[in-house]
Amino acid sequence: MAATDDAYAALPAHARETHLLASTSALLAWDQETGMPSGAGDVRSRQLALLARLAHERATDPRVGEWLAVCAADPRCAADPDREPNVRCLRRDFDRATKLPPSLVAELAELESRSQQEWAVARARSDFRRFLPWLERMVALQQQKADCLRAPGQSRWDALADLYEPGMNARDLAALFGPLQRALVALRERLAGGSSPSAGFAREPVPEANQEALARAVLAAMGFDFERGRVDRSAHPFCTNTGGDVRLTTRYRPDGALDALGSAMHEGGHGLYEQGLEPVHLGTPLGEPVSLGIHESQSRFWENHVGRSAAFWQWCWPLVERHVGAAWSGRRPDDVFRAVNRVQPSLIRVEADEATYDLHVMVRFALERQLLAGELGAANLPEAWNALYRDHLGVTVPDDRHGCLQDVHWAAGLFGYFPTYTLGNLYAAQFAAAADRALGGLPGLIARGQFAALREWLRRHVHRHGRRHEPADLCRLVTGAPLSSAPFLDHLDHKLRTVYAS
Ligand code: ZN
């Protein structure tokens, strides 16, 4: 075992140092989005590019392959409860990193940076033709990347999606998404006939400082640890782990008090997951989040299953009266509960309600598979996009800014990523149903503000495992069943019957 012990000691030590580089990048990127003066942009790009290159060199260091081979040859490693998952995940990371030629990695990094800038200009002008050559180049390079990564018989889309959600493939997803899509379209059509709850009062201006005080009070109640985390402002809300602490951002608009609180709770859910990873495993797979779908389940749990519940607004009402005050005067908790659950099919994914959000994701899931397979030319994207929006959401896309140019993902090289949003919604609903059974009813806990019970349940069942279990296995362990859309549809049906009843 001596050689194995040496190899096993070297592996996590190497991983921890690589993680220090990655978390340094995260800190610089956080600074870039929150406080960096614009004049520092050039040097910051070079700092980040250097750190990315050093991290890739470390990830592909041939010694890692040698250590992994020594560990794989020793059956005691496979029997050890901590070594097995660490070695399995490090093997996967090493194989992925070494399958990509450095020239392709560099070419993609440069294209991702430039094409995002071109996308931003094209979107502002609603000029798809301007972005088209960049998209064509990006699809071609993503096809190359997928061809390097994919196993025999595996599709390009599956090879890329596996980067974000290990074990996920298009066939299983289509089986899950097909019935879900039909159910959500039927729900949308059914609600379109009824009268919508009023939400206009929620657009009354609320001073940004008051919105921020409300968001911080709710994050503190959720148990976000401000000793190991910060909350700042940025143009687009995000959450990042800088190794020693977790940084959230939100944004405030005077007429967007509800949106600001929803996005603070969303990012707060991501933040609790990061803070719930075991510090002793920091920098190794056991101390890392397992997938984007599971990560998103944690944000959706707090945003939708807590923040959009009637019980939450009962608990939150003294805080609303204190921080929002006159802007919502004469309103009751039930009015806000109904307003945050209003269903309104729309053009823009990030503004979508809980019942139609996943239809936006399904449009992208269909189109990116066709783009990667070469069945859809990039030039025909707007037409295909608009047709699917008519079919899925019943809306007419007026221009490409409100259509296929709305998301940065494809410009940033993220193909196979979108479905993790819907997986997050499905996992969240299944976890919430399991927590409801285990804890004797979520509404009572939420109405009393007993969020610690919820947070500790998530920590024990989801957070602390890191990458120990594959996402599909984790779902079975936490809920006793494989992932299904039924808990999500039950949750929507139950809630919307209440919201649309009166
Ligand atoms: Zn999220």
Side-chain angles (χ1 to χ4, degrees):
M1 193 80 176
T4 312
D5 284 341
D6 289 348
Y8 187 77
L11 266 177
H14 185 87
R16 284 179 206 275
E17 267 196 16
T18 308
H19 179 261
L20 286 177
L21 280 177
S23 58
T24 305
S25 293
L27 182 60
L28 290 177
W30 168 83
D31 174 68
Q32 181 174 303
E33 299 302 318
T34 53
M36 185 189 79
S38 59
D42 269 359
V43 173
R44 182 57 46 88
S45 295
R46 280 185 276 139
Q47 289 168 326
L48 287 169
L50 173 63
L51 290 173
R53 183 164 63 74
L54 293 175
H56 186 74
E57 280 170 18
R58 290 185 61 85
T60 54
D61 187 331
R63 288 177 306 164
V64 175
E66 290 160 18
W67 296 326
L68 284 166
V70 171
C71 290
D74 190 328
R76 285 168 295 185
C77 222
D80 186 295
D82 282 357
R83 291 187 179 194
E84 185 280 327
N86 265 339
V87 169
R88 168 167 44 87
C89 294
L90 290 169
R91 171 93 252 166
R92 179 188 289 167
D93 298 346
F94 180 73
D95 288 347
R96 261 184 200 154
T98 50
K99 276 180 182 170
L100 296 177
S103 58
L104 178 61
V105 173
E107 203 177 347
L108 265 169
E110 195 189 332
L111 179 66
E112 283 160 14
S113 166
R114 294 203 54 196
S115 106
Q116 282 182 73
Q117 292 168 33
E118 293 294 329
W119 163 81
V121 176
R123 184 176 80 142
R125 299 179 186 169
S126 198
D127 183 355
F128 180 75
R129 297 220 67 79
R130 182 188 168 110
F131 181 55
L132 179 59
W134 298 93
L135 181 61
E136 283 173 332
R137 183 85 194 115
M138 181 59 84
V139 171
L141 284 192
Q142 292 296 327
Q143 287 171 333
Q144 280 183 40
K145 178 179 172 181
D147 288 340
C148 293
L149 291 173
R150 68 175 161 166
Q154 191 183 28
S155 75
R156 285 170 173 160
W157 190 88
D158 286 354
L160 296 180
D162 195 67
L163 298 171
Y164 311 113
E165 195 70 15
M168 181 172 76
N169 65 69
R171 198 195 58 221
D172 292 350
L173 267 188
L176 193 62
F177 283 10
L180 176 62
Q181 180 191 321
R182 287 190 288 280
L184 292 175
V185 169
L187 177 66
R188 162 176 75 69
E189 287 170 348
R190 195 177 81 221
L191 296 180
S195 68
S196 264
S198 106
F201 70 89
R203 298 267 159 227
E204 287 296 320
V206 176
E208 293 182 14
N210 295 47
Q211 294 185 37
E212 185 170 358
L214 176 62
R216 284 178 178 274
V218 170
L219 284 167
M222 286 165 60
F224 182 74
D225 181 355
F226 284 90
E227 299 275 308
R228 293 191 302 135
R230 289 179 57 95
V231 180
D232 295 270
R233 298 183 184 204
S234 67
H236 301 284
F238 65 91
C239 166
T240 192
N241 192 338
T242 64
D245 76 325
V246 175
R247 308 207 169 190
L248 312 183
T249 67
T250 54
R251 62 179 164 197
Y252 306 99
R253 279 195 333 261
D255 67 348
L258 273 184
D259 297 342
L261 183 60
S263 95
M265 292 182 77
H266 179 102
E267 300 307 331
H270 284 304
L272 288 180
Y273 185 14
E274 295 285 348
Q275 289 184 338
L277 296 164
E278 297 275 10
V280 66
H281 294 307
L282 179 70
T284 69
L286 285 174
E288 290 173 349
V290 65
S291 74
L292 292 187
I294 296 294
H295 223 307
E296 191 70 2
S297 78
Q298 299 306 293
S299 58
R300 295 299 189 178
F301 187 100
W302 290 96
E303 180 190 7
N304 291 339
H305 293 270
V306 177
R308 286 189 154 107
S309 69
F312 174 79
W313 290 100
Q314 281 172 33
W315 167 79
C316 195
W317 205 246
L319 290 174
V320 168
E321 288 181 325
R322 185 157 138 216
H323 297 295
V324 178
W328 295 355
S329 70
R331 296 290 168 174
R332 312 270 313 136
D334 195 51
D335 296 324
V336 187
F337 162 65
R338 286 155 53 81
V340 292
N341 285 297
R342 190 168 188 261
V343 176
Q344 181 72 56
S346 62
L347 293 164
I348 304 291
R349 176 184 59 85
V350 296
E351 295 168 3
D353 57 71
E354 198 182 350
T356 59
Y357 183 91
D358 298 295
L359 295 171
H360 293 259
V361 172
M362 289 171 193
V363 169
R364 290 146 177 84
F365 173 52
L367 295 175
E368 66 182 12
R369 274 183 297 156
Q370 293 172 27
L371 284 169
L372 286 172
E375 294 161 8
L376 173 69
N380 299 321
L381 179 65
E383 198 185 332
W385 179 285
N386 298 352
L388 284 181
Y389 260 76
R390 259 193 308 279
D391 181 69
H392 288 28
L393 285 130
V395 296
T396 301
V397 178
D399 53 43
D400 293 329
R401 191 154 75 92
H402 294 89
C404 66
L405 285 175
Q406 68 181 270
D407 295 308
V408 71
H409 299 61
W410 291 338
L414 298 172
F415 283 74
Y417 184 111
F418 279 114
T420 65
Y421 293 128
T422 290
L423 287 173
N425 287 328
L426 301 186
Y427 284 128
Q430 199 157 325
F431 292 164
D436 185 73
R437 289 191 300 272
L439 299 173
L442 293 190
L445 290 174
I446 294 170
R448 293 189 295 274
Q450 291 171 327
F451 299 121
L454 273 181
R455 186 187 66 248
E456 290 311 311
W457 188 89
L458 291 170
R459 194 157 281 179
R460 194 165 64 250
H461 292 280
V462 181
H463 305 173
R464 72 181 171 91
H465 293 303
R467 292 170 70 187
R468 185 180 294 280
H469 309 291
E470 298 291 287
D473 297 335
L474 182 67
C475 179
R476 266 188 225 99
L477 273 175
V478 177
T479 70
L483 181 64
S484 148
S485 59
F488 177 64
L489 287 169
D490 286 348
H491 153 77
L492 278 183
D493 186 62
H494 179 75
K495 188 162 62 170
L496 293 176
R497 273 182 203 285
T498 317
V499 170
Y500 278 79
S502 43

